[in-house]
Structure formats: structure tokens, C-alpha cells
Amino acid sequence: MEVFAMSKKKKTWLETNTFHHSEFWNILHLIEEKEKQGLKISLCIPTLNEEKTIGKEIIIFKSELMNRYPLLDEIAVIDSGSTDKTLEVAASFGADTYLSADILPNQGFKPGKGENLWKAIHQLNGDIIVYVDADIKNIHPRFVYGLVAPLIYHKKIQYVKAFYDRPLAFSQGIRPSGGGRVTEILIRPLFAMFYPELTGIIQPLSGEYAVRREVLQELPFPIGYGVETSHILDVYHKWGMGAFGQTDLDQRIHRNQTTISLGKMSFGILQSFFNRMQKYGSIEKLPELSHIYKHFQAQDSDYQLIEHTIKEEERPPMSTIPEYRKKFGLGKK
Amino acid sequence: MVKAPNTINDLLNSVVSNRDQLKDIREIILANLVMMGEIPAPTFQEEPRIRFFLDRFTEAGLDSISTDEFGNGFGFIRGTEGEKNILVAAHTDTVFNHTIDHTVRVESARIFGPGIADNSLGCAVVASIPQILQQLGIELKHNVLLMGITRSLGRGDLAGIRFFLKNSKAPVDYGLFVEGAQLGRLSYSSMGMLRGEITCNIPSEYDWTLFESSGAITILNEVITKMMAIPLPTKPKATITYGSMNAGNTYNSVPTSGSLHFEIRSEQAGMVSELQNRIHEIADEVSSNTQAEVKLEVVARRRPGGIDFSHPLTKTARKIQESLGVIPKIQPSVGELSALIDKGIPGITIGITTASQMHSQNENIAIDPMFSGLAQLVGILQAMDGGFCDE
């Protein structure tokens, strides 16, 4: 049986810490506030063979958020060793380009997106680093200012995640999503069971987020698929739910992934998840498992957390049922 | 602010350094191109693109930012003297509809996307003119009216620009139309043109036992055969282009309706009308032979006309192109310039860069030649402003 109800606590966090990028349209005001606080902001785009989309991202961010409105202090591409023209294209439009292997050479090089994000903390100078994936086809300045603005306007917020949750259009093989399948099939059920409060984060796996340096420098970085999940758990344990913000960036169009590659991704995420469970002592003392499953329902820009009570009841083996034993002559047990 | 050139030679001497200086705002122009190019704008549905124009004009602090009844978008750069008005405009509509993926792809040297050359680039350039003038420190004496034009292509039939020219309260003294491609294009005259649709409908009570009664395709074929037999003059040249044809759905059912789209062009006054009459007769003749309904509808028409090759405006524009190493390619226009010519206003159409695979999904433009195209545009604007284009 399913019971629908609203969680009051979640709603409050949702109300105060969930934003829509259109709230921050006034970039001039945002820049004024940034300058008042003396903040520097760096954009980091981690790449591996992204020549098809990187040029557009650099052009848009450089034109709109450096030349026209000086919100960004640096635009850096940190690459894991692309074999295509990613770095050449990025450099030709004025981005700073780095090979991940060249940063902190004494620490060695591990191939993976998390490695690039981690080394960015050392290489870049910003007080805020905003990470944006390179595979966004419908790139727009909102992907940066929408994430940075909550940090500039709200001192308590430390870590702002993007989410994409708008009416979707399917045309010509484009499949918009916010990483939907792994989130809905793996992450949300895991969070609902072990960390119910975290289900308030609508898209925990989105690759776009802005974070304060003070927080970034204290976080370990899985170098593979688990980086976003472990960040959420670590930030939650250390700074609490109030440290998170999330911004609706409307639609995001990117490459669609095969189910096989989502399987690999899920396996990596599960490793990070159980590492954290171990670290925080949750494996030995499993918390009481929750029977409440939470997901989102959106109506215009109003996001509601819907709760379902899902209790998996069980039947014993048929051989333990007297009537069955009698019918099939199994004798009394 | 840079001092306005006193002579045409001063102006010609500045265009090359202008080209170099414009490279510093490359990302601003390209970002406008990417954003413009990703907004679908089939004819009659240009509103989102016009909105983008207006946003850009607002950010640049222009005056009189507005739209008119036909959806055209405007921004006004007030001149220091404001005696005359220069119209700088680009048609905003493209030949691609909403269902086409409008994602723009950027490579180091080229940018790809449907309509990227025709005419997203023209639009991006017009939207960037405030930044271009600011970058070069240029202040003009005359007013500049920047305009995103709606309803130009196909069945739009230049309705947007015609509406504006008919109803504008301020007189337009010069017109400069911006097309994305090709660099070197210089149109100063309008070609006589007619676009027509021939439809063939077979009535439901049609007698299929009639000789040669094999449906709309064969009837349209007969029309085409007869049209191709019309002798076309070679000097001045006249052409008939067969642009598209639609009929039938399957292998084995006889279609009962079909249509043929064609365009006639000629530089000779009266020739287009003469050819139109011939085609009309052909339609009537085939209709009576086959008892199917064969009709000619004229979708768009332009009159031939324009300024001369030796007009100071064309002469100066050629000199500016040549001083940038651009080879002028004279070609008569059937676009917005025709509407200006109908009003007797001197004007030209220019292209900004080189492009290839025009009107395909892989349409693309070269980035580097764009700076010559932009320096050319600025030079022509300054020439209009400095009185170097007056007769």
C-alpha cells in the first residue's frame, strides 16, 4: 500500500535552498555583490575527447561571463589526455588549458574525471570553483551564473548542484535528461533507505556544481564515477543539509549513454557509497531501514517531494505451509 | 573616440587595422552567432530571434528599442548630428523548421549549423554592431537604425521590410543589408524575379479511361516539358529554376494531386512577366488537354532595378573590399534590397564570410574571413556617414 504525504522538513529545505536560474538574471547585480565580497570565481571544464562541444562552451562563457560581464576570473580546461583536438580548440578561443598529468606531478596521474576536478583545486585561483561538463550541447551562461549566484547571495550555502527538470522534447535522437536513469534506479532508492534527508537533492549526479574552496579543499575525491555521490555524503556529514543549494537550469541536452555504460557507472557509485557507509560506521550498525520512498513531482517551478510507504512483505517457502504438505503428501514437519 | 575619416583615402587606410582590432571581440560576435543560430526561425516564426535582438540592443543601451506590427525588431544608435538615417538590417528567417536540430558546433576554424550562414551570421553581426563600433571607438554623425527583419523568405515575400519601408516615420537615406555569405558579395541592383507554384488536382469524378490518364505526376511532367521548351534569352540572361516538386506517396497508387515550385529570374524589364504569361498558357493548355485542374499561383515577385555600377556607393564599397584583399562579386539581389530599390533608396547587400554546404544541415562558415567582412561593413558605414557615397 502506498501513502502520499509531504515531509515538512524537506519542504523547508526545498523552499529555501532550491533556486531557478531566472532568479539570477541580473548579472550586473551579481557581479557587484561578488566584488563587494572580494571573491574570485574560476570555471573548470574537465575534458576527455570533447572537441565537438568544447569550442562552443568556451565561446559562450568567455563572451558572456568574462568579456561582457566579468563574473568569471578564469576559464580552465583540465584534460585527461584527449587524443582529439579538444585542447587545441579550447585554447584557440582563449581558455587556459592544462593536462591533468602536469598538475601536481609528484602526486602522479590517475585517469578519471574526479582527478581533473581535484587537481583544479590546486591549479585554479578562485574562491569559488564552478565545474561544468564539456558535453552540454545547449550551453548557456545560466549553467555558470545559476550555480554561482546562490553562493554569492547566501553565505551559509557551500555546495550548489544543478538540476534539470523541465518538459522534455525528443527530436532527432536527442535525449535530454539529468542523468535520470541511474539517479532514479540507484541513487534515490539508496538515499531514501539510508539518508532520507538527502532525497531532497533532485539530481545528485549532475556534473555541474559550484563549491567554495574551503569545502573543496577538505573533500576526498574518488577519481571515477563516485565523485558526486561521495561529495554529497561527505558534505552532508561535515556541514549538514543547509550547506547544499540546488538550481534548476532548465533543459540540458547531452549525449545519451548506453545501459551497459550506466551499469559500469552504477558499479563505481556503489563502491563509493559503501566506502562512505564504512567510513561513517553505517555498515556495522545498519540504521533501521526506512520504508518510505521519496521522489519528486514538479508542477511548473514548484517541486514537491512525494512519499510512498513501500513495505516489501514476505511469504515463507511453500513447504512450510501445512495445507501444501498435506496435499502433496510431504508429511508433518 | 576615433576621428572620423576626412577623405576616402583616410578611410581606406583604416580598414585593415580595424580588421585586426575586431579580432579582440571575436568571442562576443561568435557567442551571438551561436545563440542566434540555436534559435529556430522559420518564416513567420521569427519572434524568439527578434526577442534576442532586442535583449542585445537593451544591454547595449540603444534608443527606441521596439518591434512593429509585422514583428520586425529595431534598435536606434543616435548620431552626433542625426541629419540622416542609415538602415543596417538582416533577415532573421531561415529555411529550416523547428523539427531540425539547431545545435551549433564550433571547431577552431569553422562553425556548423543549419542556417548558420543564411542568415544567423547576418543577424549576429547586426546584433553586435554596438560592440563593434565601441571596440573601434567609432562615433557616427548620422543615426543608425539596426533592424532584424521578419517574413523575408519564400511565402514571406519580403513582407517585413516592405511593411517597415511603407510605414516608417523616419526616412531611410541608405540601406545596408547583411548576409552571412559570401564574403565579397556586392548587390546593388535587383533582379526581376517571380516565384510560382503550379498545382495539379484531379477531380474525383475524373474519367480514368481517358488516354494518358496516369495521374498528377505525369501531368506535371507534361507541364515541365512544355516549360523547358520555352526559349530563354541569353542576353540579358533569363533562367527558370525548378526548385521542388511534390506528388504521390507510394509505388503503385496514382496520385491525384501534386505541386511544382519554380523561380524565374531576369535582368530585363518585362521579361519575367512575359515568361509568366507563357507558363500561364501552358497551365491552361495542359488543364484542358487532361481535364485535370492545373493552376499557376504567383508566390513572390520582384521588379528589376537599382543603382548603377558607377554609383558612388557601389564604387566606394568595391574600393573598401579591394583594400581588404576581398574580390568583389557583383550579383543582383532578389532579397530585401529589392524592397529598398522599389522605394528608390540607395542600398547594397554584402556578405560577411565564406560559407559552404549552404542550406544543408551541415551548413558552415569560416571564422577568420569574417573579420574582413566586418571591417568591410564598418568601412561602408563610415563611407555612408562621411558622405562618400552621395551622388
Side-chain angles (χ1 to χ4, degrees):
Chain A
M1 181 180 173
E2 297 186 353
V3 176
F4 293 83
M6 295 296 301
S7 154
K8 275 188 179 165
K9 196 174 178 192
K10 285 313 152 331
K11 203 178 168 207
T12 310
W13 181 86
L14 268 180
E15 277 174 355
T16 55
N17 289 34
T18 301
F19 309 93
H20 188 270
H21 68 84
S22 59
E23 295 169 48
F24 310 120
W25 66 271
N26 191 341
I27 304 180
L28 280 177
H29 187 260
L30 190 61
I31 291 169
E32 256 172 50
E33 194 57 34
K34 171 204 162 187
E35 280 168 2
K36 218 184 280 172
Q37 296 177 29
L39 291 172
K40 276 197 169 153
I41 302 175
S42 303
L43 168 66
C44 168
I45 305 176
T47 54
L48 178 63
N49 295 330
E50 314 278 5
E51 66 177 6
K52 287 202 170 136
T53 43
I54 189 71
K56 191 163 78 174
E57 285 204 20
I58 304 293
I59 285 174
I60 297 278
F61 291 137
K62 178 136 189 275
S63 160
E64 304 305 299
L65 300 178
M66 270 182 123
N67 296 345
R68 210 182 271 272
Y69 300 107
L71 181 67
L72 289 174
D73 297 279
E74 61 184 330
I75 296 178
V77 168
I78 300 192
D79 188 76
S80 306
S82 293
T83 50
D84 67 3
K85 292 181 181 163
T86 300
L87 288 181
E88 185 193 320
V89 174
S92 74
F93 295 112
D96 302 328
T97 54
Y98 306 97
L99 269 177
S100 182
D102 293 343
I103 303 170
L104 287 174
N106 291 338
Q107 299 298 319
F109 169 66
K110 295 173 196 285
K113 181 183 151 193
E115 175 88 352
N116 302 10
L117 307 181
W118 182 66
K119 287 188 167 172
I121 306 169
H122 180 76
Q123 187 64 45
L124 307 188
N125 298 312
D127 304 296
I128 290 170
I129 298 181
V130 52
Y131 296 104
V132 175
D133 276 353
D135 66 341
I136 306 173
K137 287 175 87 184
N138 60 329
I139 198 71
H140 183 276
R142 68 174 187 269
F143 284 83
V144 166
Y145 68 72
L147 296 175
V148 166
L151 295 174
I152 294 178
Y153 289 133
H154 302 270
K155 290 229 163 76
K156 284 188 179 159
I157 295 180
Q158 309 290 330
Y159 195 111
V160 181
K161 294 227 49 129
F163 71 99
Y164 310 90
D165 195 49
R166 283 281 144 169
L168 308 175
F170 290 83
S171 160
Q172 307 234 337
I174 298 168
R175 277 189 52 121
S177 103
R181 283 174 286 173
V182 177
T183 297
E184 296 307 324
I185 295 171
L186 179 70
I187 304 295
R188 197 174 309 290
L190 271 179
F191 280 178
M193 198 165 277
F194 296 105
Y195 297 101
E197 208 176 15
L198 285 175
T199 51
I201 297 174
I202 295 177
Q203 280 174 9
L205 294 183
S206 66
E208 287 69 47
Y209 38 98
V211 195
R212 294 187 200 276
R213 177 173 290 278
E214 302 92 271
V215 170
L216 278 176
Q217 68 195 11
E218 303 302 329
L219 292 176
F221 275 66
I223 60 149
Y225 297 112
V227 62
E228 284 86 15
T229 313
S230 68
H231 276 183
I232 288 176
L233 297 177
D234 292 341
V235 170
Y236 178 65
H237 273 277
K238 193 153 182 179
W239 288 275
M241 198 63 194
F244 290 109
Q246 59 184 350
T247 306
D248 183 351
L249 299 181
D250 286 351
Q251 203 186 345
R252 181 196 200 280
I253 303 175
H254 61 156
R255 285 185 304 241
N256 191 25
Q257 301 211 50
T258 62
T259 306
I260 296 288
S261 61
L262 295 184
K264 285 187 202 163
M265 181 178 174
S266 302
F267 188 74
I269 290 171
L270 273 176
Q271 281 185 33
S272 293
F273 187 83
F274 285 113
N275 280 341
R276 290 306 182 275
M277 294 282 286
Q278 208 157 23
K279 180 175 163 187
Y280 299 123
S282 308
I283 289 228
E284 294 78 11
K285 311 180 272 181
L286 269 184
E288 191 184 336
L289 296 184
S290 169
H291 293 136
I292 297 173
Y293 180 66
K294 306 179 186 197
H295 72 103
F296 281 93
Q297 181 170 293
Q299 201 169 26
D300 300 326
S301 58
D302 186 23
Y303 295 92
Q304 294 184 331
L305 200 52
I306 302 296
E307 299 189 350
H308 302 259
T309 299
I310 302 175
K311 192 165 184 190
E312 288 291 330
E313 293 197 71
E314 256 184 51
R315 292 292 198 181
M318 191 55 85
S319 66
T320 62
I321 305 297
E323 290 91 328
Y324 177 83
R325 299 193 71 84
K326 189 176 169 197
K327 180 172 176 187
F328 288 93
L330 295 178
K332 284 190 178 170
K333 212 173 181 182
Chain B
M1 284 297 142
V2 171
K3 200 167 153 278
N6 285 323
T7 65
I8 183 74
N9 283 336
D10 285 355
L11 193 156
L12 294 176
N13 288 334
S14 67
V15 289
V16 172
S17 71
N18 283 352
R19 174 171 61 192
D20 295 339
Q21 281 185 63
L22 286 172
K23 290 183 180 172
D24 290 344
I25 55 164
R26 178 178 59 171
E27 281 73 26
I28 288 202
I29 295 160
L30 295 184
N32 278 345
L33 173 59
V34 169
M35 289 189 268
M36 197 71 86
E38 295 197 340
I39 305 171
T43 309
F44 301 108
Q45 295 171 54
E46 304 93 342
E47 202 270 335
R49 259 197 194 197
I50 296 292
R51 174 64 37 207
F52 182 73
F53 263 97
L54 301 186
D55 287 348
R56 284 317 200 198
F57 293 161
T58 307
E59 285 173 280
L62 301 196
D63 284 347
S64 308
I65 298 161
S66 57
T67 56
D68 65 16
E69 287 162 51
F70 273 52
N72 294 304
F74 303 94
F76 197 66
I77 304 176
R78 208 167 283 286
T80 51
E81 294 173 12
E83 187 194 326
K84 292 186 176 179
N85 298 309
I86 305 172
L87 172 72
V88 182
H91 72 85
T92 55
D93 49 350
T94 75
V95 298
F96 296 96
N97 65 34
H98 284 275
T99 58
I100 303 283
D101 180 2
H102 274 68
T103 304
V104 172
R105 181 160 59 90
V106 178
E107 291 185 357
S108 310
R110 306 192 79 85
I111 298 190
F112 297 73
I116 201 79
D118 185 13
N119 193 19
S120 303
L121 179 56
C123 294
V125 168
V126 172
S128 307
I129 282 178
Q131 281 75 36
I132 289 172
L133 295 179
Q134 189 186 16
Q135 168 73 10
L136 299 174
I138 292 173
E139 212 170 46
L140 299 174
K141 284 189 301 193
H142 298 331
N143 303 319
V144 175
L145 181 61
L146 302 179
M147 175 181 185
I149 304 168
T150 60
R151 306 190 200 177
S152 272
L153 304 174
R155 285 190 174 267
D157 193 20
L158 307 181
I161 184 75
R162 284 195 169 128
F163 176 83
F164 163 70
L165 290 172
K166 190 174 169 197
N167 296 289
S168 170
K169 297 283 173 281
V172 173
D173 296 283
Y174 312 95
L176 179 54
F177 295 104
V178 188
E179 289 280 344
Q182 300 282 347
L183 177 60
R185 170 177 180 173
L186 181 57
S187 306
Y188 54 85
S189 65
S190 168
M191 194 181 259
M193 185 276 270
L194 177 145
R195 288 188 186 140
E197 179 182 58
I198 294 176
T199 50
C200 170
N201 284 297
I202 297 176
S204 49
E205 66 277 14
Y206 187 72
D207 179 2
W208 291 97
T209 59
L210 267 179
F211 180 63
E212 282 187 340
S213 59
S214 46
I217 292 178
T218 49
I219 292 170
L220 285 173
N221 181 50
E222 194 180 333
V223 171
I224 294 171
T225 309
K226 286 182 189 294
M227 282 171 72
M228 289 180 76
I230 301 172
L232 295 174
T234 47
K235 242 181 189 182
K237 201 177 170 187
T239 58
I240 299 177
T241 305
Y242 301 90
S244 70
M245 195 171 161
N246 284 301
N249 295 309
T250 64
Y251 290 92
N252 59 352
S253 334
V254 175
T256 55
S257 67
S259 65
L260 165 73
H261 294 160
F262 67 93
E263 184 183 282
I264 307 170
R265 290 189 181 204
S266 168
E267 289 173 53
Q268 188 185 348
M271 179 50 71
V272 169
S273 298
E274 199 180 314
L275 291 169
Q276 180 194 349
N277 291 338
R278 295 289 296 272
I279 294 169
H280 211 283
E281 283 165 15
I282 289 170
D284 288 348
E285 186 191 339
V286 174
S287 190
S288 73
N289 286 350
T290 59
Q291 292 176 29
E293 186 185 86
V294 181
K295 276 190 175 167
L296 167 66
E297 187 194 350
V298 174
V299 176
R301 176 192 278 284
R302 315 272 183 274
R303 276 199 292 274
I307 54 175
D308 291 332
F309 185 72
S310 58
H311 189 282
L313 172 56
T314 49
K315 244 159 103 177
T316 308
R318 283 203 312 274
K319 279 186 191 161
I320 291 168
Q321 291 182 328
E322 281 159 1
S323 62
L324 286 158
V326 173
I327 301 164
K329 294 180 203 99
I330 309 298
Q331 76 183 73
S333 165
V334 293
E336 299 73 31
L337 189 61
S338 322
L340 203 69
I341 288 168
D342 283 350
K343 292 274 171 192
I345 301 166
I348 53 175
T349 301
I350 55 170
I352 296 296
T353 189
T354 54
S356 60
Q357 301 191 55
M358 295 283 285
H359 301 159
S360 79
Q361 279 221 77
N362 225 19
E363 186 170 322
N364 65 88
I365 58 127
I367 296 173
D368 203 48
M370 184 181 85
F371 297 102
S372 295
L374 295 172
Q376 153 205 239
L377 182 152
V378 172
I380 294 168
L381 255 182
Q382 285 183 295
M384 288 171 167
D385 193 55
F388 308 130
C389 300
D390 298 337
E391 264 183 318

